[in-house]
Amino acid sequence: MTHHATRTLQELGYRLTPQRTLVWDVLRRSDLHMSAEEVSARVQEQFPHINISTIYRTLELLVGLGLVRETHLGPTRRFFEVEEEVPHHHLVCEACGKVAHVHDEDLGTLEGVLLAEHGFLLRELTVFGRCRACGDGTDDATPGATEGGEGCTSPTVS
Ligand SMILES: [Zn+2]
Ligand SMILES: [Zn+2]
């Protein structure tokens, strides 16, 4: 199935240069959230001499056309992914950096509460925390376990 992007690009008069096709293909094949650097590295595996700024410009073009979504996950992390039909939100693990998706139905009443009580129209959420694999941090910080003096000692460097 040809993605609508191919048509959109052509309809808008953008030539489907190999670089543009390649950037698009890299994003489409990945179901991950990729940084501009990761996209570049992947493209360069096939086009070793491609100019990085060409890749960055292509990413911006695709974002501008609404084909690729750019998400800021924290101040220094910027990710690109193919825009989906269904809006989604991001869960970002602060321990391992993993990014997961949640959809509107997972938000429960949050959307309605924000609108009713704050007049705020929710578009996109980014939630920071810890993924299941990383745990909630309670394993080594059990309340009341401080008597033994363990866990609260500052690391001493010898
Ligand atoms: Zn994690
Ligand atoms: Zn996403």
Side-chain angles (χ1 to χ4, degrees):
M1 201 175 96
T2 323
H3 194 279
H4 64 95
T6 312
R7 225 182 44 229
T8 306
L9 278 171
Q10 286 171 333
E11 278 170 4
L12 292 170
Y14 292 99
R15 280 198 310 128
L16 281 174
T17 59
Q19 294 93 323
R20 282 176 183 159
T21 310
L22 210 50
V23 169
W24 176 244
D25 282 347
V26 162
L27 284 166
R28 271 180 73 191
R29 274 201 298 266
S30 166
D31 47 359
L32 301 168
H33 300 81
M34 301 181 81
S35 66
E37 292 75 21
E38 285 165 340
V39 173
S40 301
R42 203 70 68 83
V43 170
Q44 282 178 322
E45 285 172 12
Q46 296 172 68
F47 267 79
H49 301 298
I50 195 168
N51 194 326
I52 295 234
S53 63
T54 304
I55 299 172
Y56 282 38
R57 274 202 308 274
T58 303
L59 279 173
E60 277 162 28
L61 171 72
L62 293 170
V63 170
L65 294 175
L67 299 172
V68 167
R69 173 162 157 190
E70 178 186 4
T71 306
H72 294 263
L73 304 174
T76 57
R77 299 181 72 197
R78 199 163 65 114
F79 281 95
F80 297 92
E81 66 185 312
V82 171
E83 184 67 273
E84 292 178 354
E85 306 276 322
V86 189
H88 66 261
H89 313 280
H90 292 102
L91 305 179
V92 184
C93 177
E94 291 175 309
C96 70
K98 203 176 129 203
V99 181
H101 282 169
V102 284
H103 294 91
D104 282 348
E105 61 265 28
D106 302 316
L107 301 180
T109 55
L110 179 63
E111 218 176 339
V113 168
L114 290 179
L115 190 59
E117 293 184 15
H118 301 272
F120 189 85
L121 190 61
L122 188 154
R123 181 177 62 81
E124 182 182 340
L125 268 182
T126 303
V127 183
F128 294 92
R130 278 174 181 256
C131 72
R132 186 179 284 133
C134 293
D136 55 10
T138 52
D139 285 351
D140 50 5
T142 315
T146 50
E147 275 179 64
E150 278 186 314
C152 286
T153 47
S154 340
T156 42
V157 184
S158 51

